[in-house]
Amino acid sequence: MTNMTKPVPTNTDAPCCGGGVSRLDLSDATALAVQLSAIADPVRIQMLSIIASSASGEVCACDFVEPIGKSQPTISHHLKVLNKAGLVAGDKRGRWIWYRLSPGSIDGVISSLSGAIADSPS
């Protein structure tokens, strides 16, 4: 059996503690985690893609059933999660709700994530 451990560095001149800095406070990190959790589902990614590629910029809830292959209650659940995370907004028209991407929502997630993990300036 091979030992897979790495040798422990012997340089004791380098500080080992106190260098950690978060670019997000807990509130911002929590909000970003909610959005990432909502996006981290294949069905919801498909839904965001369908809305984003719509010529009118909005899609009726009934129009997700066929391309995604899920029942209407399942579609409604996923739309509720996306709405609660602030990624989509909807307007009720008759018996259906029409959904669109919330302004700046996807760009905001990308920007927040990029800012949180970007390399620090040299």
Side-chain angles (χ1 to χ4, degrees), residues 21-107:
V21 176
S22 177
R23 294 188 175 140
L24 295 173
D25 63 23
L26 182 57
S27 175
D28 291 339
T30 300
L32 180 58
V34 167
Q35 291 179 317
L36 291 173
S37 177
I39 293 171
D41 181 281
V43 170
R44 293 192 283 263
I45 291 174
Q46 286 180 297
M47 295 173 117
L48 292 171
S49 175
I50 290 169
I51 296 169
S53 63
S54 168
S56 66
E58 59 183 4
V59 176
C60 178
C62 66
D63 291 328
F64 291 104
V65 174
E66 186 176 328
I68 294 177
K70 301 289 182 186
S71 68
Q72 186 60 54
T74 299
I75 295 296
S76 293
H77 163 74
H78 287 295
L79 287 167
K80 181 179 177 180
V81 171
L82 290 170
N83 182 270
K84 187 174 180 179
L87 298 168
V88 300
D91 293 317
K92 187 166 183 158
R93 299 179 197 157
R95 62 184 284 221
W96 295 105
I97 300 176
W98 288 75
Y99 288 90
R100 65 190 170 286
L101 296 178
S102 294
S105 61
I106 302 300
D107 290 336

